[in-house]
């Protein structure tokens, strides 16, 4: 369903409630009444979600330019059990540099009040307390800014706009050596190189893992090449040694690969444009001219640098000899599908480790351990998909992880998994097909490196490296299994109208210069749920037929729409891509709805 610039619907905004309370406000709680007179943007997010992190970055400029009229409030709505822990939310707010108030809503109370169906979702509330727009997914900052400018003018004229300082109160900085480190690398010298992610630096530590040898990077967010003191990074993560002895760095929020010369400390850019890859951009080409999307880890495998491209659920490769990048596996659809690289689905790949014949992969949102063979085929060792997770050892086919971010190859052919949200180090042995637990009581471990008979774990939320002796026997833990806890939408069996609502922002229209500018992809778990309507097409409305023999499941919906400035005099109008993936739990009941509306941008008028 598409149309452009409709009259603005006004719906009274529900109150903001969350059992976890408020962060970044100096312990001051807020109600919508306290914010009357300001334009409020609610950002429904959860810290595991890469698309949510993209939106945090998209909103920074809006936040800065309209600081005296706009209040952005993050509503943290957890997917994983770990994300419902208050301290984990406190950590995430600091880790990702969130500079606005955050409401911790572990029970999804406000999420339900606003009928949100996906992370991330943005809701705009006008100065009189009415909801005037809703946007799901990424790529909406330009549209929200235009709406903000309209609201500023309208309410300035009405006398209902209140300018001034917002409720944000910055937390006190902590004097730790590292701050939410992401990945580590054992250097030929025996020292460690660590991505000090929240401080936007790389840190070289002595062999004790504590004493600082040097810091590389200015410590300010940025994308600048130069010497150790002048270069800048933006939340760097993965590290790998190149054949020439230099280090390649996954500079995540810069959407770039960087090169560190260990001898001189000089930093240069290998790949990426500094802009995020979006649908329609090239998927191969000269490395410095091709956009990337949140590269999270890197590993050298088969003579190329493999990139865990978390932002688009793919694996890419960088060829150091040719100076090119290209997609190696993944369709950009989010999920768990094995097979040839061109057909595989991933969900935020975040950790890589190479052996002679396998590239191991921590596929974080799938809570899965997967691997790539020498022919480029994708296999799953542990994990079943987006909605099942927990801490369960035993046979791989029933074992569970919870959002692992790192994987490390061990000398005996097994692998250690940094099982991040379980605060554990796990082990998978391909020879026996068994999963065991090596260590518990770690705090958000995100990577590990082998040092002789020890394993050094990046304990990210304790801001340190922790050395463990590789145990001969596994730790025993009580098995626990979880499913994503979101209320299922009750729908009727048989015909269901899926309606993705997209209203082009004011002053824009759908981009039809090269054919249809919309795309809708639908699938289901289990596959038997859908009797009709699976697959890709360009219409944002589609009639589905649900199997009455399947009582519950998940509808996977991926939508994209491109809009451009509506100015006939401009030969090269600015264009924007809006995109979102939904996983909608459904329960089939005779009294259920026969229409499922999903708002990509705008308001559902029906």
């Amino acid at each position: 369903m598409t149309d452009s610039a409709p009259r603005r619907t006004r719906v009274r905004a529900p109150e903001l409630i969350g059992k976890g309370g408020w962060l970044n406000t100096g312990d001051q709680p807020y109600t919508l009444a306290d914010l009357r007179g300001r334009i409020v943007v609610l950002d429904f997010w959860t810290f595991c979600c890469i698309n949510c992190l993209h939106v945090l970055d998209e909103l920074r400029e809006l936040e800065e330019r309209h600081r005296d009229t706009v209040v952005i409030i993050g509503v943290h709505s957890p997917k994983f059990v770990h994300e419902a822990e208050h301290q984990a939310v406190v950590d995430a707010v600091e880790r990702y540099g969130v500079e606005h108030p955050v409401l911790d809503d572990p029970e999804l109370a406000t999420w339900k009040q606003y009928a949100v169906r996906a992370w991330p979702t943005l809701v705009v509330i006008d100065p009189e307390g009415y909801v005037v727009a809703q946007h799901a997914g990424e790529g909406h900052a330009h549209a929200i800014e235009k709406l903000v400018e309209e609201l500023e003018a309208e309410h300035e004229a009405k006398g209902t706009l209140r300018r001034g300082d917002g409720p944000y109160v910055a937390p006190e900085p902590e004097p730790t050596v590292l701050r939410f480190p992401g990945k580590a690398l054992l250097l030929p010298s025996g020292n460690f190189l660590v991505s000090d992610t929240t401080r936007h630096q790389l840190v070289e530590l002595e062999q004790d893992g504590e004493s600082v040898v040097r810091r590389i990077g200015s410590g300010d967010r940025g994308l600048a090449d130069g010497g150790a003191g002048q270069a800048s990074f933006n939340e760097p993560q993965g590290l790998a040694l190149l054949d020439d002895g230099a280090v390649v760095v996954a500079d995540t929020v810069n959407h770039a690969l960087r090169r560190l010369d260990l001898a001189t400390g000089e930093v240069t850019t290998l790949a990426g444009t500094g802009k995020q890859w979006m649908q329609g951009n090239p998927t191969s080409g000269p490395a410095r001219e091709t956009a990337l999307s949140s590269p999270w880890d890197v590993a050298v495998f088969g003579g190329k640098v493999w990139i865990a491209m978390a932002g688009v659920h793919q694996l890419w490769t960088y060829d150091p000899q040719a100076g090119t990048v290209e997609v190696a596996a993944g369709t950009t659809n989010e999920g768990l599908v094995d097979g040839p690289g061109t057909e595989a689905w991933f969900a935020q790949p975040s950790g890589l480790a190479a052996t002679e014949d396998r590239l191991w992969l921590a596929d974080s949102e799938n809570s899965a351990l997967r691997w790539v063979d020498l022919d480029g085929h994708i296999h799953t060792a542990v994990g079943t998909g987006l909605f099942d997770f927990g801490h369960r050892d035993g046979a791989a086919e029933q074992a569970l992880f919870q959002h692992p971010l790192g994987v490390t190859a061990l000398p005996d052919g097994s692998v250690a998994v940094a099982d991040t949200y379980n605060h554990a180090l796990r082990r998978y042995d391909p020879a026996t097909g068994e999963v065991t637990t090596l260590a518990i009581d770690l705090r958000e471990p995100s990577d590990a490196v082998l040092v002789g008979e020890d394993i050094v774990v990046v304990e990210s939320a304790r801001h340190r490296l922790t050395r463990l002796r590789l145990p001969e026997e596994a730790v025993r833990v009580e098995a626990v299994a979880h499913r994503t806890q979101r209320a299922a939408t009750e729908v009727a069996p048989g015909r269901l109208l899926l309606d993705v609502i997209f209203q082009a922002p004011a002053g824009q229209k759908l981009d039809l210069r090269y054919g249809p500018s919309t795309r809708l992809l639908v699938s289901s778990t289990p596959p038997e749920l859908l009797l009709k309507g699976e697959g890709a097409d360009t219409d944002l409305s589609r009639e589905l037929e649900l199997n009455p023999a399947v009582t519950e499941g998940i509808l996977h919906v991926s939508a994209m729409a491109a809009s451009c400035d509506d100015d006939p005099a401009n030969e090269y109008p600015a264009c924007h891509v809006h995109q979102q993936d939904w996983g909608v739990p459904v329960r089939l009941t005779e009294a259920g709805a026969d229409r499922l509306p999903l708002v990509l941008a705008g308001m559902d008028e029906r």
Side-chain angles (χ1 to χ4, degrees):
M1 174 179 170
T2 65
D3 50 63
S4 60
R7 63 179 177 75
R8 194 177 300 141
T9 304
R10 282 159 57 90
V11 177
R12 177 63 74 179
E15 192 50 82
L16 304 177
I17 49 176
K19 192 174 179 181
W22 290 81
L23 305 176
N24 281 357
T25 63
D27 296 326
Q28 173 72 35
Y30 281 87
T31 65
L32 284 174
D34 298 327
L35 302 170
R36 197 78 82 237
R38 311 300 289 275
I39 300 162
V40 177
V41 179
L42 302 182
D43 176 16
F44 289 87
W45 71 298
T46 189
F47 64 77
C48 72
C49 157
I50 192 69
N51 312 90
C52 299
L53 303 187
H54 290 167
V55 168
L56 284 177
D57 292 311
E58 286 179 9
L59 292 175
R60 291 187 201 280
E61 286 185 32
L62 174 74
E63 204 163 19
E64 187 57 42
R65 280 199 290 267
H66 300 270
R67 197 170 284 282
D68 67 332
T69 59
V70 172
V71 175
I72 295 176
I73 293 175
V75 182
H76 188 271
S77 313
K79 171 187 172 182
F80 289 100
V81 170
H82 169 59
E83 292 173 310
E85 296 175 18
H86 182 68
Q87 185 57 47
V89 181
V90 172
D91 288 345
V93 166
E94 182 188 350
R95 181 194 299 268
Y96 297 116
V98 179
E99 294 184 355
H100 51 247
V102 173
L103 175 63
D104 180 12
D105 182 17
E107 296 176 345
L108 303 183
T110 296
W111 164 288
K112 292 169 188 169
Q113 287 291 311
Y114 281 82
V116 174
R117 294 184 185 275
W119 300 274
T121 290
L122 298 167
V123 175
V124 182
I125 301 171
D126 74 11
E128 294 177 294
Y130 290 92
V131 174
V132 292
Q134 182 170 326
H135 301 264
E138 303 179 47
H140 301 293
H142 67 286
I144 289 175
E145 177 142 37
K146 194 158 190 66
L147 176 57
V148 162
E149 289 168 354
E150 290 177 7
L151 291 171
E152 285 174 340
E154 175 186 335
H155 289 274
E156 191 95 78
K158 288 172 68 175
T160 49
L161 184 70
R162 179 167 57 90
R163 294 180 182 270
D165 292 334
Y168 171 66
V169 177
E172 288 293 318
E174 298 285 345
T176 51
V177 171
L178 302 172
R179 205 69 195 159
F180 297 104
K183 304 288 185 181
L185 178 66
L186 183 64
L187 298 175
S189 65
N191 289 349
F192 297 96
L193 187 68
V194 183
S195 53
D196 197 13
T197 304
T198 298
R199 293 210 179 110
H200 316 296
Q201 291 180 320
L202 308 180
V203 180
E204 184 177 346
L205 301 175
E206 291 182 10
Q207 295 180 23
D208 62 6
E210 298 177 5
S211 307
V212 176
V213 176
R214 58 177 171 168
R215 291 182 178 272
I216 295 124
S218 65
D220 296 323
R221 286 183 190 271
L223 177 54
D225 290 342
Q230 293 75 47
S232 55
F233 300 95
N234 197 344
E235 297 183 25
Q237 288 281 350
L239 307 164
L241 272 174
L242 295 170
D243 291 341
D244 63 4
V247 174
V248 58
V249 183
D251 193 4
T252 304
V253 179
N254 277 329
H255 311 294
L257 295 188
R258 315 292 293 284
R259 179 185 185 273
L260 168 64
D261 186 312
L262 287 171
T264 65
E266 191 79 13
V267 175
T268 52
T269 300
L270 293 176
T273 63
K275 300 292 185 184
Q276 182 187 341
W277 185 96
M278 300 296 279
Q279 291 287 354
N281 289 161
T283 54
S284 63
R288 291 292 305 273
E289 299 170 21
T290 306
L292 309 180
S293 182
S294 297
W296 205 275
D297 203 5
V298 282
V300 177
F301 179 63
K304 294 182 178 179
V305 176
W306 285 66
I307 309 164
M309 203 71 81
V312 281
H313 318 299
Q314 290 180 313
L315 302 179
W316 286 46
T317 56
Y318 164 69
D319 186 332
Q321 301 303 317
T324 56
V325 291
E326 64 180 350
V327 175
T331 64
T332 75
N333 295 321
E334 186 177 14
L336 192 151
V337 176
D338 288 339
T342 53
E343 299 173 10
W345 291 21
F346 303 97
Q348 242 170 273
S350 300
L352 299 173
T355 64
E356 281 189 13
D357 60 352
R358 290 187 183 188
L359 179 69
W360 291 99
L361 164 70
D363 201 13
S364 63
E365 280 289 285
N366 278 324
S367 295
L369 173 66
R370 306 175 74 185
W371 52 280
V372 187
D373 64 25
L374 292 172
D375 295 324
H377 281 64
I378 313 303
H379 310 261
T380 297
V382 182
T384 59
L386 287 165
F387 300 98
D388 292 295
F389 56 91
H391 191 157
R392 187 161 65 198
D393 287 337
E397 52 270 18
Q398 57 87 52
L400 294 171
F401 298 128
Q402 187 181 178
H403 198 80
L405 290 177
V407 60
T408 307
L410 300 178
D412 63 357
S414 67
V415 288
V417 176
D419 192 5
T420 309
Y421 288 2
N422 280 327
H423 310 301
L425 190 68
R426 313 283 294 283
R427 176 177 178 264
Y428 167 68
D429 186 351
T432 64
E434 292 284 314
V435 175
T436 52
T437 298
L438 297 176
I440 55 174
D441 298 327
L442 302 166
R443 186 71 189 168
E444 290 193 19
S446 53
D447 196 20
V449 292
L450 273 178
V451 184
E453 295 184 356
D454 294 344
I455 191 163
V456 175
V457 179
V458 180
E459 220 178 336
S460 188
R462 284 201 178 108
H463 319 292
R464 71 187 188 193
L465 302 187
T466 300
R467 186 181 291 258
L468 304 172
R469 178 57 55 95
L470 271 174
E472 293 181 14
E473 295 196 13
V475 176
R476 291 197 177 277
V477 295
E478 187 175 339
V480 59
H482 300 289
R483 295 212 89 201
T484 298
Q485 293 303 306
R486 274 184 292 159
T489 299
E490 294 197 350
V491 294
R495 179 188 172 278
L496 176 70
L497 178 63
L498 173 64
D499 236 348
V500 174
I501 290 97
F502 177 74
Q503 294 157 351
Q508 293 190 13
K509 63 179 181 180
L510 286 173
D511 177 15
L512 302 174
R513 292 171 299 165
Y514 308 109
S517 64
T518 53
R519 178 175 178 267
L520 180 64
L521 177 71
V522 180
S523 62
S524 66
T525 302
E528 299 77 32
L529 173 63
L530 272 178
L531 294 176
K532 175 185 162 191
E534 185 178 10
D537 203 348
T538 57
D539 193 339
L540 291 183
S541 285
R542 186 180 304 178
E543 188 172 295
L544 311 180
E545 187 178 342
L546 303 183
N547 186 347
V550 179
T551 56
E552 60 180 33
I554 296 159
L555 288 174
H556 304 283
V557 180
S558 178
M560 185 273 287
S563 62
C564 296
D565 291 345
D566 188 7
D567 180 1
N570 186 355
E571 187 179 353
Y572 303 105
C575 297
H576 306 274
V577 175
H578 317 254
Q579 60 190 54
Q580 173 61 12
D581 296 328
W582 291 268
V584 183
V586 294
R587 182 178 299 113
L588 274 61
T589 63
E590 291 299 331
D594 61 3
R595 175 176 177 262
L596 176 62
L598 299 175
V599 178
L600 179 60
M603 300 283 283
D604 181 18
E605 305 288 349
R606 289 179 58 178

